[in-house]
Amino acid sequence: MKALYEAQATATGDGRGGHVRSSDGVVDTDLSVPKGLGGPGGDKTNPEQLFAAGYAACFHGALQVVARQAKQKIDGSQVAAKVGIGSLDTGGFGLEVALEVTIPGLDKDTARELVEKAHQVCPYSNATRGNIDVQLTVA
């Protein structure tokens, strides 16, 4: 693969409760361990929220690409991503993802077809395929 773009970010401090900053400074935020993982939670983000935001945006972009190719209008569409983290039976931790796609005004079968095609195009889907469980739902 020839990279068309590269993002860079650095984590410092206390890992999941530390700080992240992108090389251009656009992302520059403190992190907090969620209560569900034994941390304080609060008003700071965490790696799972950042991953959910990235996956939702990327998948929505892929959906728009395949919709244009299929000459389908998907005005008002949205993708909601839920990322879960938990202990693996084999040790360590793993992730799971649920993507809920809403496409107003499009019949369920056509919407499902576009979502399946987007799942083949989306770089996040390609990176996670076979590694973590990704559930797709058409709302």
Side-chain angles (χ1 to χ4, degrees), residues 37-111:
L37 295 177
D43 62 351
K44 298 176 186 147
T45 193
N46 60 64
E48 289 70 39
Q49 287 178 333
L50 295 170
F51 185 69
Y55 203 157
C58 189
F59 196 91
H60 197 213
L63 181 66
Q64 291 170 340
V65 167
V66 299
R68 273 193 304 276
Q69 290 171 344
K71 296 183 179 16
Q72 294 289 336
K73 290 197 178 281
I74 60 167
D75 297 336
S77 63
Q78 67 178 32
V79 176
K82 186 187 321 182
V83 174
I85 183 172
S87 299
L88 296 172
D89 294 338
T90 56
F93 291 87
L95 298 174
E96 63 184 12
V97 174
L99 299 176
E100 183 179 80
V101 181
T102 304
I103 308 174
L106 204 59
D107 68 87
K108 224 30 167 196
D109 289 338
T110 304

